[in-house]
Amino acid sequence: MLSIALAGKPNAGKSTFYTAATMAEVDVANYPFTTIDANRGVSYVRTECPCLEREERCNADNCEDGKRYVPIELLDVAGLVPGAHEGKGLGNQFLDELTNADVIINVIDASGGTNEKGEPVDIGEHDPLEDIDFVEEEMDLWLAGIVENNWESVERKSRSPDFDIDDVLADMLSGFGASPTQIAKVLRELDYPEDPIQWEDDHREELARLVRERTKPIVVAANKIDVAPQENVEMLLDLDKPVIPTTAEGELALRRAAENGLVDYDPGDGSLEIGDGVTDAQREALEGLAETMGEWDGTGVQSALNYAVYELLEYLTAYPVEDAAKWSDGSGNVLPDAFLLPDGSTPVDLAYAVHSDIGDGYLHAVNAKSSREVSDGYELEEGDVIKIVSTN
């Protein structure tokens, strides 16, 4: 399962975002370090289900009238403060938790209503741009520190006749989630001395930055847009970075209202339908939220999750079936499973994602939409329905 980590300073709304996206109960309060121990839960990315191409909708548990929700892991960790890479605040704990994340959502307070330490200030008093840069810098410096602390072993290994810097760095940074392929690509971008003994701090810091960019891409959730000054939001959207306007508090209110039958709303919808059983006060609050959603095409929570997976990581959704004609499994369930795979994946990759035994016994595959056999090297597309033929 893909893992998305929520990063950011304390009191920016990470725990509210997490609760809204997972509907798991966690502490949410208006003070720094509400979260001490990391929260792990299941959330979902949303895509169009292939059942929309058929006369009837599928009966999958995670499909709501053609809105398909594919599970991912969501991680909410302690807030980050300046100097976290040196251990300030809960920095080491925070940064260690990020090593297994595939992508990061940096939740910032777009309203400027909290300072760099996460303490409440007047709306607009703090510059939210500072909260974007400092998270990236803290992560880069933290990883640079790891590289520095382990560099002596790299120098020792460089004296060996079969020394390969690609292999040594890939081994050293594997715990950060860096693959050998990613390390090789980073080294092609980096201008560095052939002899590791001649490397200086600038080389190691640049290595750390490039590795972090490749292994932990970041999308910014500009949270609290319902109270943020307009100029703050416009300034954030003008950045040369992916920024999603977000109201985590609004999403949480909608999810709870939907559970109680007060609104018709599915995560990721751009609008809501207010039911008849609401009080005047509830209707006023929901109408205000509807205006915010109309301005930003939703609450932004689902959009941030989707952007992280489908845009930054460039993943796609594929649906394995046993019956190519009915798009069903052996029990007749239509489109029961959905898998997230990297762009460029093949039917063989899908087979292994279903089960290693299926992959080991792979024979061929059929594109159920076209009813045609596809090659082993066929690159899957978003929404493909694939019948895998295997000896196992």
PDB file of all heavy atoms in Angstrom, residues 112-131:
ATOM      1  N   GLY A 112      -2.022  32.413   7.818  1.00  0.00           N
ATOM      2  CA  GLY A 112      -1.003  33.169   8.541  1.00  0.00           C
ATOM      3  C   GLY A 112      -1.367  33.390   9.986  1.00  0.00           C
ATOM      4  O   GLY A 112      -0.876  34.328  10.632  1.00  0.00           O
ATOM      5  N   GLY A 113      -2.210  32.519  10.538  1.00  0.00           N
ATOM      6  CA  GLY A 113      -2.693  32.679  11.905  1.00  0.00           C
ATOM      7  C   GLY A 113      -1.906  31.905  12.943  1.00  0.00           C
ATOM      8  O   GLY A 113      -2.329  31.825  14.105  1.00  0.00           O
ATOM      9  N   THR A 114      -0.779  31.325  12.543  1.00  0.00           N
ATOM     10  CA  THR A 114       0.118  30.643  13.480  1.00  0.00           C
ATOM     11  C   THR A 114       1.550  30.972  13.093  1.00  0.00           C
ATOM     12  O   THR A 114       1.876  31.022  11.899  1.00  0.00           O
ATOM     13  CB  THR A 114      -0.078  29.117  13.456  1.00  0.00           C
ATOM     14  OG1 THR A 114      -0.110  28.660  12.095  1.00  0.00           O
ATOM     15  CG2 THR A 114      -1.367  28.712  14.143  1.00  0.00           C
ATOM     16  N   ASN A 115       2.418  31.194  14.087  1.00  0.00           N
ATOM     17  CA  ASN A 115       3.802  31.554  13.776  1.00  0.00           C
ATOM     18  C   ASN A 115       4.633  30.325  13.441  1.00  0.00           C
ATOM     19  O   ASN A 115       4.102  29.218  13.344  1.00  0.00           O
ATOM     20  CB  ASN A 115       4.420  32.360  14.923  1.00  0.00           C
ATOM     21  CG  ASN A 115       4.504  31.563  16.224  1.00  0.00           C
ATOM     22  OD1 ASN A 115       4.483  30.329  16.225  1.00  0.00           O
ATOM     23  ND2 ASN A 115       4.620  32.273  17.335  1.00  0.00           N
ATOM     24  N   GLU A 116       5.948  30.511  13.294  1.00  0.00           N
ATOM     25  CA  GLU A 116       6.808  29.410  12.860  1.00  0.00           C
ATOM     26  C   GLU A 116       6.856  28.257  13.852  1.00  0.00           C
ATOM     27  O   GLU A 116       7.193  27.127  13.492  1.00  0.00           O
ATOM     28  CB  GLU A 116       8.232  29.919  12.591  1.00  0.00           C
ATOM     29  CG  GLU A 116       8.993  30.403  13.803  1.00  0.00           C
ATOM     30  CD  GLU A 116       8.674  31.851  14.160  1.00  0.00           C
ATOM     31  OE1 GLU A 116       7.829  32.466  13.463  1.00  0.00           O
ATOM     32  OE2 GLU A 116       9.261  32.362  15.126  1.00  0.00           O
ATOM     33  N   LYS A 117       6.491  28.519  15.110  1.00  0.00           N
ATOM     34  CA  LYS A 117       6.471  27.460  16.111  1.00  0.00           C
ATOM     35  C   LYS A 117       5.092  26.824  16.257  1.00  0.00           C
ATOM     36  O   LYS A 117       4.897  25.932  17.063  1.00  0.00           O
ATOM     37  CB  LYS A 117       6.930  28.000  17.463  1.00  0.00           C
ATOM     38  CG  LYS A 117       8.376  28.476  17.473  1.00  0.00           C
ATOM     39  CD  LYS A 117       8.763  28.994  18.852  1.00  0.00           C
ATOM     40  CE  LYS A 117      10.215  29.476  18.865  1.00  0.00           C
ATOM     41  NZ  LYS A 117      10.591  30.012  20.202  1.00  0.00           N
ATOM     42  N   GLY A 118       4.116  27.324  15.502  1.00  0.00           N
ATOM     43  CA  GLY A 118       2.763  26.791  15.587  1.00  0.00           C
ATOM     44  C   GLY A 118       1.915  27.463  16.641  1.00  0.00           C
ATOM     45  O   GLY A 118       0.817  26.986  16.949  1.00  0.00           O
ATOM     46  N   GLU A 119       2.395  28.569  17.168  1.00  0.00           N
ATOM     47  CA  GLU A 119       1.630  29.281  18.205  1.00  0.00           C
ATOM     48  C   GLU A 119       0.648  30.240  17.547  1.00  0.00           C
ATOM     49  O   GLU A 119       0.979  30.903  16.561  1.00  0.00           O
ATOM     50  CB  GLU A 119       2.589  30.049  19.113  1.00  0.00           C
ATOM     51  CG  GLU A 119       3.598  29.162  19.823  1.00  0.00           C
ATOM     52  CD  GLU A 119       4.759  29.928  20.409  1.00  0.00           C
ATOM     53  OE1 GLU A 119       5.012  31.072  19.960  1.00  0.00           O
ATOM     54  OE2 GLU A 119       5.426  29.386  21.317  1.00  0.00           O
ATOM     55  N   PRO A 120      -0.589  30.353  18.073  1.00  0.00           N
ATOM     56  CA  PRO A 120      -1.595  31.233  17.469  1.00  0.00           C
ATOM     57  C   PRO A 120      -1.173  32.704  17.481  1.00  0.00           C
ATOM     58  O   PRO A 120      -0.643  33.200  18.472  1.00  0.00           O
ATOM     59  CB  PRO A 120      -2.831  31.008  18.352  1.00  0.00           C
ATOM     60  CG  PRO A 120      -2.611  29.669  18.988  1.00  0.00           C
ATOM     61  CD  PRO A 120      -1.140  29.574  19.201  1.00  0.00           C
ATOM     62  N   VAL A 121      -1.376  33.359  16.334  1.00  0.00           N
ATOM     63  CA  VAL A 121      -1.191  34.808  16.209  1.00  0.00           C
ATOM     64  C   VAL A 121      -2.390  35.336  15.427  1.00  0.00           C
ATOM     65  O   VAL A 121      -3.266  34.571  15.019  1.00  0.00           O
ATOM     66  CB  VAL A 121       0.138  35.151  15.476  1.00  0.00           C
ATOM     67  CG1 VAL A 121       1.339  34.699  16.298  1.00  0.00           C
ATOM     68  CG2 VAL A 121       0.173  34.537  14.080  1.00  0.00           C
ATOM     69  N   ASP A 122      -2.439  36.634  15.212  1.00  0.00           N
ATOM     70  CA  ASP A 122      -3.548  37.209  14.460  1.00  0.00           C
ATOM     71  C   ASP A 122      -3.509  36.719  13.010  1.00  0.00           C
ATOM     72  O   ASP A 122      -2.429  36.510  12.433  1.00  0.00           O
ATOM     73  CB  ASP A 122      -3.488  38.733  14.483  1.00  0.00           C
ATOM     74  CG  ASP A 122      -3.781  39.302  15.862  1.00  0.00           C
ATOM     75  OD1 ASP A 122      -4.438  38.600  16.661  1.00  0.00           O
ATOM     76  OD2 ASP A 122      -3.332  40.437  16.140  1.00  0.00           O
ATOM     77  N   ILE A 123      -4.686  36.543  12.414  1.00  0.00           N
ATOM     78  CA  ILE A 123      -4.769  36.138  11.014  1.00  0.00           C
ATOM     79  C   ILE A 123      -3.969  37.104  10.144  1.00  0.00           C
ATOM     80  O   ILE A 123      -4.110  38.322  10.261  1.00  0.00           O
ATOM     81  CB  ILE A 123      -6.244  36.103  10.536  1.00  0.00           C
ATOM     82  CG1 ILE A 123      -7.037  35.039  11.292  1.00  0.00           C
ATOM     83  CG2 ILE A 123      -6.320  35.861   9.033  1.00  0.00           C
ATOM     84  CD1 ILE A 123      -6.614  33.627  10.986  1.00  0.00           C
ATOM     85  N   GLY A 124      -3.120  36.551   9.283  1.00  0.00           N
ATOM     86  CA  GLY A 124      -2.329  37.369   8.380  1.00  0.00           C
ATOM     87  C   GLY A 124      -1.014  37.853   8.953  1.00  0.00           C
ATOM     88  O   GLY A 124      -0.208  38.452   8.235  1.00  0.00           O
ATOM     89  N   GLU A 125      -0.747  37.572  10.225  1.00  0.00           N
ATOM     90  CA  GLU A 125       0.476  38.086  10.847  1.00  0.00           C
ATOM     91  C   GLU A 125       1.723  37.320  10.397  1.00  0.00           C
ATOM     92  O   GLU A 125       2.810  37.884  10.292  1.00  0.00           O
ATOM     93  CB  GLU A 125       0.350  38.014  12.376  1.00  0.00           C
ATOM     94  CG  GLU A 125       1.521  38.634  13.122  1.00  0.00           C
ATOM     95  CD  GLU A 125       1.295  38.689  14.627  1.00  0.00           C
ATOM     96  OE1 GLU A 125       0.123  38.870  15.046  1.00  0.00           O
ATOM     97  OE2 GLU A 125       2.282  38.548  15.371  1.00  0.00           O
ATOM     98  N   HIS A 126       1.569  36.018  10.132  1.00  0.00           N
ATOM     99  CA  HIS A 126       2.720  35.194   9.731  1.00  0.00           C
ATOM    100  C   HIS A 126       2.677  34.948   8.225  1.00  0.00           C
ATOM    101  O   HIS A 126       1.607  34.789   7.632  1.00  0.00           O
ATOM    102  CB  HIS A 126       2.687  33.862  10.480  1.00  0.00           C
ATOM    103  CG  HIS A 126       3.808  32.941  10.119  1.00  0.00           C
ATOM    104  ND1 HIS A 126       5.110  33.155  10.518  1.00  0.00           N
ATOM    105  CD2 HIS A 126       3.835  31.798   9.374  1.00  0.00           C
ATOM    106  CE1 HIS A 126       5.881  32.187  10.053  1.00  0.00           C
ATOM    107  NE2 HIS A 126       5.142  31.353   9.354  1.00  0.00           N
ATOM    108  N   ASP A 127       3.854  34.918   7.597  1.00  0.00           N
ATOM    109  CA  ASP A 127       3.955  34.670   6.158  1.00  0.00           C
ATOM    110  C   ASP A 127       3.954  33.165   5.904  1.00  0.00           C
ATOM    111  O   ASP A 127       4.923  32.474   6.249  1.00  0.00           O
ATOM    112  CB  ASP A 127       5.240  35.284   5.616  1.00  0.00           C
ATOM    113  CG  ASP A 127       5.365  35.148   4.096  1.00  0.00           C
ATOM    114  OD1 ASP A 127       4.485  34.511   3.492  1.00  0.00           O
ATOM    115  OD2 ASP A 127       6.345  35.675   3.543  1.00  0.00           O
ATOM    116  N   PRO A 128       2.901  32.616   5.266  1.00  0.00           N
ATOM    117  CA  PRO A 128       2.843  31.163   5.039  1.00  0.00           C
ATOM    118  C   PRO A 128       3.910  30.647   4.090  1.00  0.00           C
ATOM    119  O   PRO A 128       4.199  29.449   4.077  1.00  0.00           O
ATOM    120  CB  PRO A 128       1.434  30.950   4.469  1.00  0.00           C
ATOM    121  CG  PRO A 128       1.045  32.278   3.894  1.00  0.00           C
ATOM    122  CD  PRO A 128       1.698  33.301   4.772  1.00  0.00           C
ATOM    123  N   LEU A 129       4.510  31.536   3.279  1.00  0.00           N
ATOM    124  CA  LEU A 129       5.577  31.096   2.381  1.00  0.00           C
ATOM    125  C   LEU A 129       6.755  30.517   3.165  1.00  0.00           C
ATOM    126  O   LEU A 129       7.429  29.599   2.708  1.00  0.00           O
ATOM    127  CB  LEU A 129       6.069  32.262   1.514  1.00  0.00           C
ATOM    128  CG  LEU A 129       5.101  32.797   0.457  1.00  0.00           C
ATOM    129  CD1 LEU A 129       5.762  33.917  -0.332  1.00  0.00           C
ATOM    130  CD2 LEU A 129       4.661  31.690  -0.495  1.00  0.00           C
ATOM    131  N   GLU A 130       6.991  31.037   4.351  1.00  0.00           N
ATOM    132  CA  GLU A 130       8.096  30.542   5.170  1.00  0.00           C
ATOM    133  C   GLU A 130       7.870  29.086   5.579  1.00  0.00           C
ATOM    134  O   GLU A 130       8.825  28.335   5.780  1.00  0.00           O
ATOM    135  CB  GLU A 130       8.257  31.421   6.418  1.00  0.00           C
ATOM    136  CG  GLU A 130       8.632  32.866   6.112  1.00  0.00           C
ATOM    137  CD  GLU A 130       8.735  33.710   7.366  1.00  0.00           C
ATOM    138  OE1 GLU A 130       8.671  33.125   8.480  1.00  0.00           O
ATOM    139  OE2 GLU A 130       8.876  34.942   7.242  1.00  0.00           O
ATOM    140  N   ASP A 131       6.614  28.696   5.701  1.00  0.00           N
ATOM    141  CA  ASP A 131       6.306  27.336   6.141  1.00  0.00           C
ATOM    142  C   ASP A 131       6.536  26.306   5.035  1.00  0.00           C
ATOM    143  O   ASP A 131       6.673  25.116   5.311  1.00  0.00           O
ATOM    144  CB  ASP A 131       4.857  27.247   6.623  1.00  0.00           C
ATOM    145  CG  ASP A 131       4.583  28.209   7.768  1.00  0.00           C
ATOM    146  OD1 ASP A 131       5.541  28.554   8.475  1.00  0.00           O
ATOM    147  OD2 ASP A 131       3.424  28.617   7.945  1.00  0.00           O
TER     148      ASP A 131
END
